[in-house]
Amino acid sequence: MHDILAGLNDRQREAVLATEGPVLIFAGAGSGKTRVLTRKIAYLLEQKKTTANRILAVTFTNKAANEMKERVNRLLGQVNYVNIGTFHSIAARILRGEKDYSEFPSDFTIYDSSDSRALLIKCLKDLDIDPKSLQPAAVLHYISRQKQQILLPDNTEKKGGSEFMQEKLADIYALYEKRLRENNACDFDDLLMRPILLFRRHPAVAEKYRHRWDYVLVDEYQDTNPAQFELLTCFSGKHHNICVVGDDDQSIYGWRGADIRNILEFEKHFPRARIIKLEQNYRSTRTIIEAASAMIKGNRERADKNLWTEAGEGEKILYRICESDYDEANYIAKSILQSGTDFRDAAILYRTNAQSRLLEEALRNRGIRYVLVGGVKFYERKEIKDFLAYLNLLLNPRDAVNLKRIINVPGRGIGETSIARLEQFALETRRTLWESLQYPQEAGLHKNAAKQLEAFMAIMLDLQSRIRQMPPSEFVLEVLEKSGLHAMYDNEKDPEQQERRRNLEEFVNGVTQFEKYNPGATIADFLHDVALQTDIDQWEDSSDAVTLMTVHSAKGLEFRHVYIAGMEEGLFPLERSRLEPKEMEEERRLFYVALTRARDRVTITSAGQRMRYGQLLGAESSEFIFEIPPQCIQTERPSRLRKEKSFGREREYYPGTRKETGSREIGAASALRPAAPGSLKVGDRVKHPMFGKGKIRSAIKSSGQVFFHIDFDNGVRKTIAEKFIERL
């Protein structure tokens, strides 16, 4: 026990020893939460409070789960069988294990975002809905929100939008669900919703899982949504030995259903809960901690905490105001090059993926190696998706989405017309698409297409007969050769083709590694593991390269030097957040996460001009900059900034933009005769010196000011303070 508790501070030790009943651990940024969780697991086993298979530890990424497994094994000096995994992987195991009760056979396919989109577009087509009139991304977001609330198509959420639109969305959702069942497939949200529906319909199964584990430990609890909360309530229902670790100040996934109330109201849901706060930061300098702590206090919806550190004061945060987004990218690249440190020590964080283009260009121009997190992921590359489609189809022949993807890959002369005839034949004869492939002539295919289809089916049926007779690594090699995918890229003169071939070979290596670390695993196990990979799971920090990623992707990571790019109003925080206080608080938490990723130094940049909507527009500094205490931040401005006095105060602006960068006022406002405060209302036509004419769509009060959300005639939408617009 001495070794397990060695090196822990008083609060960490208290958290490890608190094993019985509900426990909430508020773990501030860099306070050692992973250390506490792994030591707690080791302590439970070492004290023989239970056995390894009676402990459940849940996290959000495979990377975090694997790190937890490795740490526990190092502590105990043995391979243990603690159930450590992501919410989705554990839920998938439940669905596969309860196939007698579930709607889905155990060989179901997990659809990723691109598969779900393809299925939805087919649904829209079947309903005669033009995807241009109702964007698939918006419909998928709607469906996801319903599933997170455990709402099926016949009892969907009835708020927002017209009654007609709500009915249309419910109809699309219903058809989408029907198609999923026909394909024996689940999307990501199904993996959480379906076990809950299973428990509700079969109380005996729910009771089984209430008794399944003696201790439940949860990482990143602030990011749980209603479905995850209900699962955890069931898992800990018998003994209430649930220990959750999280930080409400790092709750940044509200847009995908996370409910911050789960952590803030933990005592309400679990009476007599013990609350422990880990407030000592082991990562960052005193200056960074002071800056982040002061800034986050602008949020009202948070628990009171006092993050502190014994580290030195460190350098001030550097805030660099650049002339344009192009100059911003070049400034960051030059700064990294001149720092003299390893590239791996630096990370560039930004609010939106679109910001990476200029940053990548600037790094490439200087020969700086970098890795982009959230770009084209390995398992989303075309040749890999094709390979995965073959494997998923062999396991689940009902999967029409993957069947249509590879029926003509490599090319077999089976075109859209042939596929349409096969689909119609399947519909008329009440067969699946896979079954219809065995009757090409009856389906009306031309002789050559029918011959090619018969050859394809002979290969697939032969492979299908051997899928459970061969180790996964041998089977994927067989599929690679028999399918023709390997030969498809056998062109030594084409570098791109050779790269695709190498990617396929690397895929086989991945299966081999998975087989090595998961004895007895099947190809189905591997496919489920791949389907649940995240951006961070595929990121390797071993190479000497600068990391580029969104702030969302950076949570849980740390770097010596962090650059936060694009700190401007409308970009960070996002413009739409102005109209919703809860969203504004989440944007502030996102900035808090960005600051606390840094160990030694933080550099914040903004641009006086940024290309948006195809136009070079002026930009103003993010209000979050002004929430950092002056003693913690140092500002640099390029020489081209001009100064003038207006309304009794000094302003700074770039020639040609008339947009101030040094404060939150707009320089061009001096050319207007603003309307008297309170005289403008929703629906009024107004004029702005930079964006032209527009119409007020909505209004909100914030920090003592009135802000209007305006739709400008040129297509731009902006949120602007009342004093900077004029009624027409």
Side-chain angles (χ1 to χ4, degrees):
M1 188 174 76
H2 174 74
D3 291 336
I4 290 173
L5 300 179
L8 300 178
N9 64 36
D10 291 344
R11 295 285 77 76
Q12 290 174 335
R13 184 185 295 258
E14 179 186 358
V16 169
L17 296 177
T19 59
E20 308 308 306
V23 179
L24 167 60
I25 302 172
F26 279 113
S31 61
K33 67 180 179 62
T34 305
R35 173 189 290 186
V36 167
L37 279 174
T38 52
R39 299 289 183 95
K40 182 183 278 285
I41 293 171
Y43 177 74
L44 288 170
L45 295 176
E46 197 244 14
Q47 292 295 298
K48 294 183 171 47
K49 288 182 173 289
T50 190
T51 55
N53 67 333
R54 301 284 297 173
I55 298 175
L56 174 66
V58 191
T59 186
F60 276 82
T61 67
N62 288 315
K63 189 179 182 70
N66 290 335
E67 181 183 354
M68 203 178 294
K69 289 176 186 176
E70 289 172 7
R71 289 201 192 188
V72 172
N73 287 340
R74 285 200 300 268
L75 282 169
L76 298 177
Q78 63 187 33
V79 176
N80 70 85
Y81 297 97
V82 175
N83 293 280
I84 301 176
T86 65
F87 277 99
H88 289 87
S89 66
I90 290 164
R93 268 183 258 159
I94 292 173
L95 288 177
R96 289 173 62 189
E98 304 298 334
K99 59 182 182 295
D100 293 338
Y101 298 94
S102 173
E103 300 175 52
F104 297 94
S106 60
D107 58 359
F108 63 85
T109 302
I110 300 174
Y111 279 176
D112 64 15
S113 56
S114 63
D115 296 328
S116 296
R117 178 184 172 84
L119 183 65
L120 179 71
I121 289 174
K122 178 67 166 61
C123 292
L124 294 177
K125 182 180 178 181
D126 291 345
L127 293 169
D128 292 324
I129 297 173
D130 185 352
K132 294 180 181 178
S133 67
L134 197 58
Q135 294 202 358
V139 181
L140 285 171
H141 179 72
Y142 163 83
I143 292 173
S144 178
R145 189 171 68 244
Q146 305 311 305
K147 292 188 177 185
Q148 289 164 3
Q149 300 290 332
I150 325 297
L151 298 175
L152 292 171
D154 57 355
N155 64 338
T156 53
E157 190 177 42
K158 297 292 190 298
K159 66 178 183 180
S162 66
E163 184 176 338
F164 172 76
M165 181 57 70
Q166 288 297 322
E167 290 179 0
K168 181 182 284 191
L169 288 170
D171 288 343
I172 298 169
Y173 179 19
L175 183 59
Y176 175 81
E177 280 298 283
K178 181 182 177 184
R179 294 285 186 263
L180 278 175
R181 288 194 296 274
E182 289 172 354
N183 290 343
N184 187 27
C186 290
D187 61 20
F188 287 159
D189 292 304
D190 272 327
L191 293 177
L192 300 179
M193 179 179 76
R194 293 294 166 183
I196 292 172
L197 294 176
L198 176 67
F199 293 162
R200 290 178 180 178
R201 292 165 182 166
H202 302 282
V205 178
E207 192 65 18
K208 169 184 171 181
Y209 284 92
R210 287 192 184 94
H211 291 77
R212 175 68 183 79
W213 295 289
D214 295 328
Y215 295 92
V216 176
L217 293 83
V218 189
D219 192 14
E220 304 287 5
Y221 185 68
Q222 76 280 349
D223 292 331
T224 53
N225 62 28
Q228 289 159 335
F229 173 78
E230 186 164 342
L231 283 175
L232 292 172
T233 302
C234 175
F235 295 161
S236 60
K238 174 179 177 286
H239 46 69
H240 300 295
N241 291 334
I242 179 170
C243 174
V244 303
V245 182
D247 181 6
D248 53 305
D249 289 336
Q250 296 184 68
S251 179
I252 59 174
Y253 291 109
W255 53 275
R256 70 180 188 193
D259 191 342
I260 195 173
R261 291 175 300 178
N262 285 352
I263 189 168
L264 293 178
E265 299 178 3
F266 184 81
E267 293 174 273
K268 175 181 175 182
H269 300 297
F270 297 94
R272 297 183 297 279
R274 185 170 178 178
I275 311 298
I276 300 169
K277 295 181 181 180
L278 306 182
E279 297 172 307
Q280 183 175 359
N281 176 281
Y282 291 92
R283 176 187 300 151
S284 308
T285 65
R286 223 169 25 245
T287 295
I288 293 171
I289 294 302
E290 183 181 350
S293 298
M295 186 276 305
I296 198 62
K297 286 180 180 176
N299 278 1
R300 294 182 178 181
E301 198 172 24
R302 64 185 295 268
D304 183 47
K305 293 177 291 296
N306 181 31
L307 205 60
W308 60 278
T309 180
E310 292 181 345
E313 183 175 347
E315 300 178 23
K316 284 188 176 184
I317 293 171
L318 176 60
Y319 173 42
R320 171 76 179 195
I321 304 171
C322 302
E323 184 168 341
S324 68
D325 47 2
Y326 178 82
D327 294 319
E328 176 189 48
N330 283 312
Y331 169 79
I332 292 174
K334 184 179 178 181
S335 173
I336 291 172
L337 205 57
Q338 293 178 342
S339 68
T341 59
D342 293 338
F343 292 151
R344 67 166 59 91
D345 290 333
I348 307 174
L349 310 183
Y350 36 79
R351 181 62 182 85
T352 65
N353 277 308
Q355 292 171 253
S356 73
R357 183 184 64 82
L358 283 177
L359 293 163
E360 289 185 76
E361 184 179 300
L363 295 173
R364 281 197 303 268
N365 289 343
R366 287 169 173 77
I368 299 174
R369 292 182 297 279
Y370 68 89
V371 57
L372 178 66
V373 177
V376 179
K377 307 184 202 73
F378 179 79
Y379 290 108
E380 289 184 359
R381 293 169 182 168
K382 180 189 179 303
E383 63 276 16
I384 302 302
K385 284 284 288 181
D386 291 342
F387 201 174
L388 286 168
Y390 268 97
L391 295 173
N392 276 307
L393 181 60
L394 288 166
L395 274 170
N396 175 21
R398 290 167 56 186
D399 185 354
V401 170
N402 279 316
L403 172 54
K404 289 165 69 174
R405 181 183 181 94
I406 52 89
I407 193 171
N408 205 38
V409 178
R412 300 183 178 90
I414 306 172
E416 292 295 326
T417 302
S418 296
I419 295 172
R421 286 177 179 169
L422 288 163
E423 287 186 302
Q424 184 61 32
F425 177 75
L427 184 64
E428 292 172 353
T429 59
R430 297 187 178 181
R431 289 183 168 94
T432 65
L433 184 57
W434 170 267
E435 290 168 341
S436 74
L437 299 190
Q438 300 172 52
Y439 304 92
Q441 294 179 353
E442 290 88 337
L445 266 63
H446 293 302
K447 186 176 181 180
N448 184 58
K451 184 178 179 181
Q452 292 289 344
L453 192 56
E454 287 170 354
F456 169 72
M457 286 302 293
I459 293 170
M460 296 297 285
L461 291 171
D462 176 58
L463 288 170
Q464 196 177 49
S465 68
R466 290 190 280 166
I467 196 168
R468 291 177 175 84
Q469 298 174 6
M470 303 170 68
S473 56
E474 293 181 19
F475 181 73
V476 293
L477 275 173
E478 191 80 3
V479 174
L480 192 58
E481 295 302 326
K482 291 287 180 64
S483 67
L485 286 177
H486 210 211
M488 182 179 173
Y489 299 112
D490 192 10
N491 186 340
E492 296 180 1
K493 295 181 180 179
D494 188 336
E496 183 179 341
Q497 298 286 78
Q498 285 298 295
E499 178 66 20
R500 292 184 186 278
R501 186 182 174 98
R502 283 193 292 270
N503 286 338
L504 290 170
E505 292 168 354
E506 181 57 33
F507 180 93
V508 176
N509 294 339
V511 177
T512 303
Q513 287 293 103
F514 180 82
E515 188 177 272
K516 177 181 176 182
Y517 290 107
N518 298 273
T522 65
I523 195 66
D525 295 322
F526 174 77
L527 291 175
H528 280 199
D529 185 75
V530 166
L532 301 176
Q533 293 281 318
T534 66
D535 291 343
I536 293 303
D537 292 329
Q538 297 177 40
W539 172 66
E540 292 293 338
D541 57 357
S542 57
S543 60
D544 187 22
V546 175
T547 298
L548 278 74
M549 61 173 68
T550 63
V551 183
H552 281 100
S553 295
K555 190 159 77 72
L557 305 178
E558 61 180 64
F559 304 89
R560 284 189 61 190
H561 190 174
V562 168
Y563 294 83
I564 309 173
M567 285 302 301
E568 300 145 26
E569 288 294 296
L571 186 56
F572 200 171
L574 288 178
E575 193 167 307
R576 66 171 182 264
S577 304
R578 279 267 179 218
L579 302 176
E580 177 52 62
K582 285 188 176 180
E583 289 188 17
M584 197 63 179
E585 291 210 352
E586 183 154 318
E587 291 288 306
R588 186 174 282 106
R589 292 194 292 268
L590 198 58
F591 185 45
Y592 175 84
V593 167
L595 287 173
T596 54
R597 297 312 92 200
R599 295 201 296 267
D600 300 334
R601 284 188 293 161
V602 174
T603 297
I604 300 171
T605 60
S606 67
Q609 306 172 84
R610 186 174 294 275
M611 186 68 72
R612 302 186 72 184
Y613 312 105
Q615 303 177 54
L616 190 63
L617 302 177
E620 54 184 314
S621 301
S622 168
E623 70 172 67
F624 296 154
I625 299 292
F626 304 96
E627 297 177 0
I628 295 175
Q631 68 271 20
C632 297
I633 192 167
Q634 162 189 342
T635 303
E636 284 186 357
R637 298 171 173 84
S639 58
R640 283 196 66 199
L641 274 173
R642 294 183 182 176
K643 295 184 179 182
E644 68 176 36
K645 284 195 174 182
S646 179
F647 300 112
R649 67 179 292 181
E650 192 174 74
R651 295 183 302 101
E652 296 175 321
Y653 66 93
Y654 286 107
T657 67
R658 310 302 296 162
K659 178 84 101 168
E660 172 195 26
T661 59
S663 76
R664 294 180 221 173
E665 292 183 9
I666 300 175
S670 59
L672 286 177
R673 290 173 308 197
S679 65
L680 292 175
K681 62 184 183 300
V682 173
D684 282 352
R685 293 278 296 169
V686 294
K687 178 182 178 183
H688 184 273
M690 180 173 296
F691 305 109
K693 299 175 182 178
K695 184 178 181 179
I696 297 177
R697 194 172 70 172
S698 56
I700 189 171
K701 285 188 176 181
S702 177
S703 304
Q705 295 188 66
V706 176
F707 293 87
F708 290 111
H709 196 176
I710 303 170
D711 290 343
F712 288 97
D713 296 346
N714 60 5
V716 174
R717 290 182 173 181
K718 297 289 286 185
T719 304
I720 297 175
E722 180 180 21
K723 59 185 177 180
F724 300 132
I725 54 178
E726 177 183 24
R727 181 187 286 112
L728 284 175

